[in-house]
Amino acid sequence: MASQRTVSRSLVVLMAAVVLLHRSRRVAAAAALSSSTTTNQARAPALFVLGDSIVDSGNNNAITTMVRCNFAPYGQDFPGHNATGRFSNGKVPGDILASRMGIKEYVPAYLGTQLSDFDLLTGVSFASGGCGFDPLTAELVSALTMDNQLDLFKEYKEKLNRVAGAQRAADIVSTSLYLVVTGTDDLANTYFTTPFRRDYDLESYIEFVVQCASDFTKKLYGLGARRVNIAGAPPIGCVPSQRTNAGGLERECVALYNQAAVVFNAALEKEIKRLNGSAELPGSVLKYIDLYTPLLDMIQRPDTYGFEVTNRGCCGTGVFEVTLTCNRYTAHPCKDPTKFLFWDTYHLTERGYNLLLSQIINRYGF
């Protein structure tokens, strides 16, 4: 009898252990499901890109402008060796970011593209090569101004409503990620290269451009955007074209241009922090993205990143070729673009963009 009671107690203990095991598994499964759901809710359903040639994926093909690149050797490393209007040999930052976020492989241009329902649901690029926050910058080269891009976004939202329905469309607009990359041409081209803004001293012009950036951000918020990432200027003075224009016989980095970028970035970052989540823009999640620091490091320490050349582009001589002057007839590309940080005298190679985006994603997360 004592033996039977011992066996019975053992069975009870065993059954209790089994019950506890199943219960713990159910709790773990529920927790995993909850975590997965939270992750899916946090993931942006789409990526929208606005700005200049760094993130233009072909919009300039559809407008009358000299700032275009829908011809070889541009796109030589894009699928099908297709010159899509991306200012590089392959992918540009919007494509890379969308791919890393698990949204899609390429962010198509809004203009001149047969957009599928999937494209509309997952994001497009409104960017136009040659534009800046200063509207004059785009007007000088017949590109789309930032306000023009907002007009296209309004038009896009109407199409999205038809595809997704009003409620889902509003959710996509409010929960998606927005990447804004522009401002470089304001300093490099409009201020330093042309006389049209010389009624400003440099400090006043930077204040003006930052105010334009602030106004643009408020307008984008007014159209429903909440998660907006705004990139600062790169080290403009070390871009090959600016080395050629103002770097002397040795084509050194232009200290004044880099300092202007530093001052602009500090003012832009301060304004973005002021606006972020403010009473003026409630519920906004605004981030300033530092391009200057990681790109300067890539330029100054090329061996660390596996580059051999950072002071000129892969296309032609690499000292002045960009857009129409980087072409298959007069400017053959280098044999191995992966050894070059710059593709032409303004824009990075696909490998350059990949390494730059890796640093940015590691720092900021998306």
Side-chain angles (χ1 to χ4, degrees), residues 274-292:
R274 185 187 73 81
L275 291 174
N276 181 39
S278 65
E280 195 172 358
L281 304 183
S284 62
V285 181
L286 311 180
K287 284 185 183 178
Y288 166 80
I289 305 298
D290 175 19
L291 297 182
Y292 189 101

Side-chain angles (χ1 to χ4, degrees), residues 224-239:
R226 293 296 179 267
R227 300 171 61 186
V228 184
N229 298 269
I230 304 166
I236 297 169
C238 294
V239 172

Side-chain angles (χ1 to χ4, degrees), residues 7 12 21 34 54-55 73 118 129 137 150 164 166 179 195 202 209 226 236 249-250 288 319 337 340 344 361:
V7 171
V12 169
L21 178 62
S34 175
I54 295 174
V55 286
F118 175 78
T137 300
L150 290 177
L179 178 65
L202 181 55
V209 174
R226 293 296 179 267
I236 297 169
L249 293 176
E250 298 299 318
Y288 166 80
V319 297
F340 283 69
D344 58 24
I361 290 169

Side-chain angles (χ1 to χ4, degrees), residues 5-6 50 73 91 112 114 118 138 146-148 166-167 171 176 218-220 233 237 242 248 259 275 281 311 334 346:
R5 284 197 296 272
T6 300
L50 304 101
K91 287 184 173 183
Q114 292 293 327
F118 175 78
M146 296 303 285
D147 278 350
N148 291 153
Q167 183 57 57
D171 289 342
S176 291
K218 294 171 189 174
K219 292 174 185 175
L220 185 58
Q242 305 310 310
Q259 186 57 38
L275 291 174
L281 304 183
N311 66 347
C334 60
Y346 274 82

Side-chain angles (χ1 to χ4, degrees), residues 73 93 116 152 168 194 207 247:
S116 66
L152 293 179
R168 186 183 176 199
T194 74
E207 289 177 2

Side-chain angles (χ1 to χ4, degrees), residues 59-119:
N59 287 297
N60 276 18
N61 298 348
I63 63 176
T64 304
T65 178
M66 298 291 283
V67 184
R68 57 199 307 120
C69 58
N70 54 338
F71 46 81
Y74 286 96
Q76 70 170 31
D77 299 304
F78 200 78
H81 311 293
N82 189 12
T84 60
R86 288 168 168 83
F87 291 78
S88 186
N89 60 311
K91 287 184 173 183
V92 293
D95 303 316
I96 295 166
L97 182 55
S99 178
R100 300 278 183 94
M101 292 174 66
I103 295 173
K104 58 184 173 183
E105 285 300 304
Y106 309 101
V107 178
Y110 178 72
L111 292 178
T113 307
Q114 292 293 327
L115 296 171
S116 66
D117 289 355
F118 175 78
D119 291 326

Side-chain angles (χ1 to χ4, degrees), residues 16 29 32 105 187 190 233 237 261 285 287 301 303:
E105 285 300 304
L187 294 170
T190 303
V285 181
K287 284 185 183 178
R301 300 192 306 136
D303 292 348

Side-chain angles (χ1 to χ4, degrees), residues 187 200-211 259-261 263-265 267-268:
L187 294 170
Y200 292 89
D201 60 33
L202 181 55
E203 183 179 357
S204 298
Y205 183 67
I206 287 173
E207 289 177 2
F208 167 70
V209 174
V210 170
Q211 185 58 54
Q259 186 57 38
V263 174
F264 168 74
N265 289 342
L268 180 64

